[in-house]
């Protein structure tokens, strides 16, 4: 399915199941605020780039 070999899917599944307990461990929760702030920064940058692109389209007469 989707051109992915079943052995690859099986090994990925086993890998994911092995790491799930670590993902929900208390020490993993301590690093989440840093990830959330980084995610927020990416969304801010995406928004800024969208505004800039809309401005450039408008100034070049390429309104959608």
């Amino acid at each position: 399915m989707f051109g992915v070999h079943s052995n690859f899917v099986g090994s990925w599944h086993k890998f994911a199941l092995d790491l799930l307990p670590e993902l929900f461990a208390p020490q993993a929760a301590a690093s989440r605020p840093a990830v959330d702030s980084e995610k927020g920064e990416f969304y801010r940058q995406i928004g800024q780039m969208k505004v800039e692109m809309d401005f450039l389209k408008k100034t070049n007469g390429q309104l959608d």
Side-chain angles (χ1 to χ4, degrees):
M1 182 176 215
F2 300 110
V4 179
H5 197 276
S6 61
N7 289 344
F8 179 74
V9 174
S11 64
W12 177 86
H13 183 254
K14 182 183 178 321
F15 179 75
L17 289 177
D18 290 344
L19 292 179
L20 279 176
E22 292 178 28
L23 178 64
F24 295 103
Q27 65 269 18
S31 66
R32 287 191 186 125
V35 171
D36 288 341
S37 67
E38 186 175 293
K39 186 176 174 182
E41 176 63 20
F42 287 139
Y43 281 125
R44 187 194 67 73
Q45 289 178 359
I46 290 169
Q48 181 179 350
M49 285 189 245
K50 183 173 179 355
V51 168
E52 291 172 355
M53 185 177 356
D54 290 344
F55 174 78
L56 291 172
K57 283 181 181 179
K58 187 185 246 183
T59 58
N60 287 329
Q62 298 177 359
L63 291 175
D64 290 333

